[in-house]
Amino acid sequence: MLDIEIDGKAVQVPVGSTVMDAATLAGIYIPHFCYHKKLSIAASCRMCLVQVEKAPKPLPACATPVTNGMKVWTRSKAAVQAQKGVMEFLLINHPLDCPVCDQGGECQLQDLSVGYGGSCARYQEKKRVFVNKNFGPLIASEASRCINCTRCVRFTAEIGGEMELGQAFRGDHAEIMTFLGRAVDSELSGNVIDLCPVGALTSKPFRYSARTWELSRRSSISPHDSLGTNLIVQTKNDVVKRVLPLNNDNLNECWLADRDRFSYEALTSEQRLVSPMMRNGEGWHAESWQIALAHVSSALCAIVSEQGGQALGALASPHSTVEELYLLQKLTRGLGSENIDFRLRRHDFRGDAVRSGIPWLGMTVADVHGLNAILVIGSFLRKDAPLLAQKVRHSALRHGLEVCTVGPNAEDWRMPMATRALVAPSGMVDTLAAIAAALAEKTGKALSDTLAARVPTTVSDDARAIAKSLADGEKTAVWLGNLAEQHPRAAELHLWAQEIARLSGASFGFIGEAANSVGGYFAGAVPREKGLDARAMIESPRHAYLLLGAEPDLDFADGAAAVDAMNRARLVVAISAFDSPVLRQVADVLLPLAPFTETPGTFVNCIGDVQSFEASTHSRGEARPGWKILRVLGNLLELPGFEQDNIEAVRDEALTGNSSCYARLNNAIGDVPVAEPPAARANVFQRVADVPVYFTDPLVRRAASLQKTADAAPPVARMPSATMAALGVQPAASRVRVRGRTGESVELRVEADENLALGCIRIAAAHASTVALGPLHGELSAERL
Amino acid sequence: MSEHRLILAGLDGDRTWRLQDYVARGGYEAFRKILAEKTPSDTIIAELKASNLRGRGGAGFPTGLKWSFMPRSFPGDKYLACNSDEGEPGTFKDRDILRHNPHTVIEGMLIAAYATGCTRGYNYIHGEIFEVYRRFEEALDEARAAGFLGQNILGSEFSFELFAHHGYGAYICGEETALLESMEGKKGQPRFKPPFPASYGLYGKPTTVNNTETFASVPFIMKMGGEAFMNLGKPGNGGTKIFSVSGHVCRPGNYEINLGTPFSDLLAMAGGMRGGRKLKAVIPGGSSAPVVPADIMMDCTMDFDSISRAGSMLGSGAVIVMDETTCMVWALERLSRFYHEESCGQCTPCREGTGWLYRVVHRIEHGAGRPEDLDLLLSVAENISGRTICALGDAAAGPVQSFVKHFADEFGYHIENKKCLVLPAVQDAGSQIYVSQSC
């Protein structure tokens, strides 16, 4: 520890601390712009100049290391003179257009100029101006306001993983810009808006729509990925105007993925369902809640009494809250049905019978820092879980974490990668087995008896390299991603991941597909014995479906089959925040659901944190919180146990016996038999389907600005150039006809993708243009057009 | 006193830059001797310290001390960089060294690499001099062919690779950490120090950066001995130094003289004042150095300490001589424009302040000065100097402060009368000298 005296206050700080760290510890604020606790030190704004004993010149607090016995004055005459001098320089070319600037009221320059700026300008010359640059659909640039702190530049390089912004030119001509003709495409790009201490980078969707002091603030939880990002939802006149991060050092730190930040635009989408709707022959009409719910309850009663409870299937989005899922399963079971599931994009449910507990990440997010090696199996990590990827990236860049992957995809994750075993989906189980075999050989531990017989005869170099990374690392982890969970042999991947983790001493777990992938299990929204899982409910169509927050065509493992099954049902009740042509096609009643900003609720994230939130605004139109809809429906059906007066009562009931929720988390799995993959056929390709980051759920699919980004481009058929050559497809803008197993085909533009296993075609799911292809995994044939 | 040529010695012949000529002048002897005798690096550094050699790039830091900062037992590569990014207005010595005597730089770098344990070296050559870059590349080829560079040099265990690196013409890349950034392929912007290059330099490895002339002096120190080299100059200011004399003199050019030679002697070597006019002021160490009025300058000797006492600095040894036909406002405007254009834009005081200074001086020169402008200039300059990451801020502030201090009457006249104190006809006559009159 080092002793330092700041403004007469003595503090002790660890070796390696800067004066800024020490000041923070002592509770002393030193004005600054370029310094940010999560970014590297630039020491370029010079606002934090302080007086240091024996130093002939003022020194920047952010970059000056503390030495023992140092004496620092942050408010002495010399220090303040230096700070005021810097402030004057910062203001000479700043446009001072605060009245029309979105940053006004939350601007560091504005705030600090009150303390350090002059009341009139000595600068009488012309100010330099810049032409604004296009940074894409999310970020607005007002280059003339820039004070060149380079926080945004450092963010893209250090946190985003690729330097998408840079400072071009010299002197006072220096300006922040993207590479020529490029936008900022990072899935984390919106953070530069928060980082910008002035109004040079502001939110394009939020622009000119409200002043910061007019906004009410509510804390909330992101309904998108499994991290459970903490949010601040800001509203004006009961309308959500923007979403900002709420600092949580254990989860999202001070960052926010663009999906979490900009999805609020969908809340005011024209497709919002604002009134109960009932089918009227071929047409639809709005109806009151009383009539709609009465109709639903009598229709459900009729079908259940005629066909038995098992005729009903309940399918819920994994983005639903714990309370919604709990009441839905209670209602379904109350009607005598065990058919309830929220894992809509899964194919293989064999693991359900041999699971020991609730699958989760298997470690805390904070523990990613400190890992030596990680194996990520079947994941589009960067787009599936942008902030979890950021944690991994941070450790890989700063602490030498060795990142290994197994899967058919090897797109750029913007981080250093140790080994990427590129294998087609059908080869993934064998590759994991090979890694386990190499680990057994390397560590001298024996494979478990049942698995020893299933080890392949050849072990690839990649498998050995991955085994080495895992065996050499002191702290290691194995993660199963969305592609692994949606895999046709998911249970076997789970089993082998468990074996690899056992042999290497790694922790293992699931990244999780959605905000409530863990919470759904807590709520009991999964079938028990004899119940049908999500896949079975589609493959053996039910007479009636209850659909909660999911779109049949886009949120299911096989959208085409789901639509087909529901088309054939006698009754489909869709509780949904949005209207859509497909819902109108399949449903008989549409009940308007309040999305996450309009309802209280709870999500359980991938590490088992139970995070509850309140509604940020009132419900729009006639939309109602899901728990209320289901509770009233339960009353109408005269089911017992639907007497809750408030959401806390539902929550307590849902999580009863879960006083320690963490105790129920357990990834262990028993033996799963080998599912023989279909025999390879000539001219047939395997589909690799990602769910692109801005297609994941109904909310984000309707967020207008996100839909203008590069990540929301319509799906194309990506294939290795060898495959393109074999099909006779020219590299430039050729189109192919791709046919799924059912014979339905779609026409797609072709793009070469060398980061894809041979024999695979990667076509994104969750988009209307690719629904006809059917399941996320499976065989495709392709022909040139 | 006259010139005392070491680095520039024997360069009057034809194609003196070739290896064979350099060897004939005694080149590579010092290096061969070190290899043959396996001289310990401590001995070399001690010799360098005894020589009192101070860095020739501008800051005048003792070279031996700098070399001793390099960590001895560092695992992996250590780097050596030669700073030939000579961009300071008025300075043109390094290009002549590289043009006429490139092998002395190579030999100096070899000795430095041997003494500091570096395995790789780079010579960062200013972006706007192409001929010199090509010539240095040729010299490298010669040295490689003769076995002076590469693996196990001359059968010893010592290996060293040396490459030339061409800059892109940014003045700031002459700042050693900006030079390293530029060499790494990044935008040339100075790093915050500490850490210094000796602990965190090129690609984060320990690195020594020296000026071209500094390296060029090393072989002579090794040959004649540190003390003898020091005695050429005076204590604290050892050896000879090349001065680039430019401006209103009869024979502008590079003059290698012993440190401590009177300025009047240097002026005489350069042929005296053009047209016999009166000396008005001298910038003794390149454009960054504060200007010194004639009477003070004529009492100075050319060494670090004497010039420092005169309120300026020896800098890179670029002596800009101005006679009585010079308008000092115009001269300052030219200098301020340079720093405005060359500020890298990284830190606030320099990025914003250099433009402000230039615009105000420009306004005064063009007849729009205001009475409060001189106070404003001094205040802005004070807010820049000492507040920036690198020395460019000080370099930009120095001329303004010294010009306004020494020639306040000329600035005042300009502001009050919207015109030059030095009549335009006189100024014209001053510049006409170059075309019409010979000395």
Side-chain angles (χ1 to χ4, degrees), chain B residues 185-393:
Chain B
K186 300 175 191 156
K187 188 182 180 191
Q189 288 187 329
R191 297 175 183 167
F192 182 79
K193 292 164 287 267
F196 290 92
S199 54
Y200 190 92
L202 188 62
Y203 303 114
K205 306 288 185 197
T207 304
T208 294
V209 188
N210 281 124
N211 171 254
T212 318
E213 189 187 347
T214 313
F215 280 127
S217 305
V218 171
F220 301 98
I221 294 171
M222 289 300 127
K223 248 192 291 191
M224 68 172 63
E227 204 174 331
F229 185 84
M230 193 221 22
N231 288 333
L232 294 178
K234 57 191 207 182
N237 294 273
T240 62
K241 165 98 189 78
I242 302 174
F243 287 93
S244 308
V245 185
S246 64
H248 299 143
V249 293
C250 281
R251 281 199 307 276
N254 283 318
Y255 295 89
E256 186 173 4
I257 55 175
N258 292 336
L259 280 173
T261 305
F263 169 73
S264 51
D265 288 6
L266 179 64
L267 188 59
M269 283 176 228
M273 299 301 292
R274 284 247 175 184
R277 290 182 192 274
K278 202 175 144 207
L279 178 69
K280 183 173 189 177
V282 175
I283 300 175
S287 63
S288 308
V291 67
V292 180
D295 49 341
I296 303 177
M297 196 64 209
M298 290 307 279
D299 292 338
C300 287
T301 56
M302 297 308 288
D303 57 78
F304 291 96
D305 300 334
S306 166
I307 302 289
S308 171
R309 275 195 301 275
S312 186
M313 50 186 200
L314 193 70
S316 56
V319 180
I320 302 171
V321 179
M322 292 177 275
D323 70 15
E324 58 196 338
T325 67
T326 313
C327 169
M328 298 312 273
V329 181
W330 176 84
L332 180 62
E333 186 206 5
R334 188 65 195 77
L335 288 175
S336 296
R337 179 166 168 216
F338 176 79
Y339 289 106
H340 176 216
E341 288 300 320
E342 295 295 344
S343 167
C344 81
Q346 185 180 201
C347 65
T348 308
C350 174
R351 179 182 67 239
E352 306 292 343
T354 52
W356 194 353
L357 289 178
Y358 168 65
R359 289 184 191 109
V360 173
V361 178
H362 178 83
R363 205 156 40 76
I364 297 171
E365 168 67 10
H366 289 82
R370 305 189 186 109
E372 66 273 20
D373 276 350
L374 292 188
D375 286 340
L376 178 66
L377 279 177
L378 290 175
S379 160
V380 173
E382 194 195 334
N383 280 344
I384 300 174
S385 61
R387 312 261 167 95
T388 52
I389 289 178
C390 76
L392 196 143

Side-chain angles (χ1 to χ4, degrees), chain A residues 426-471:
Chain A
S426 62
M428 285 172 65
V429 172
D430 280 351
T431 303
L432 293 192
I435 293 169
L439 265 172
E441 190 181 304
K442 200 165 168 47
T443 59
K445 294 183 194 163
L447 280 160
S448 73
D449 294 343
T450 44
L451 294 180
R454 302 183 197 168
V455 168
T457 46
T458 54
V459 175
S460 67
D461 291 345
D462 283 343
R464 284 190 200 284
I466 292 169
K468 184 175 186 318
S469 290
L470 289 174

Side-chain angles (χ1 to χ4, degrees), chain A residues 42-47 49 57-60 63-65 78 81-86 88-90 92-93 122-128 146-149 167-174, chain B residues 168-172 187 189 192 194 340-356 359-360 363 370 373 375-376 379-389 394:
Chain A
S44 65
C45 77
R46 316 308 277 180
M47 194 63 207
L49 288 174
K57 302 187 281 189
L59 296 176
T64 305
Q81 191 197 356
Q83 291 157 2
K84 284 189 168 175
V86 171
E88 182 179 36
F89 284 133
L90 286 172
I92 66 169
N93 279 314
R122 293 195 296 170
Y123 183 77
Q124 304 287 321
E125 326 302 320
K126 276 186 185 165
K127 292 188 183 235
R128 61 114 175 77
C146 177
I147 58 167
N148 281 288
C149 71
Q167 186 195 41
F169 309 121
R170 292 199 301 247
D172 58 11
H173 312 297
Chain B
Y168 291 87
Y171 171 62
I172 192 61
K187 188 182 180 191
Q189 288 187 329
F192 182 79
H340 176 216
E341 288 300 320
E342 295 295 344
S343 167
C344 81
Q346 185 180 201
C347 65
T348 308
C350 174
R351 179 182 67 239
E352 306 292 343
T354 52
W356 194 353
R359 289 184 191 109
V360 173
R363 205 156 40 76
R370 305 189 186 109
D373 276 350
D375 286 340
L376 178 66
S379 160
V380 173
E382 194 195 334
N383 280 344
I384 300 174
S385 61
R387 312 261 167 95
T388 52
I389 289 178
D394 297 321

Side-chain angles (χ1 to χ4, degrees), chain A residues 359-375:
Chain A
W360 67 300
L361 192 65
M363 60 189 288
T364 68
V365 175
D367 281 344
V368 173
H369 174 92
L371 284 180
N372 306 113
I374 188 168
L375 169 61

Side-chain angles (χ1 to χ4, degrees), chain A residues 18-21 23 30-31 35 48-50 59-65 72 74:
Chain A
T18 61
V19 173
M20 183 71 90
D21 298 333
I30 300 175
Y35 168 78
C48 68
L49 288 174
V50 292
L59 296 176
C62 67
T64 305
V72 174
T74 70

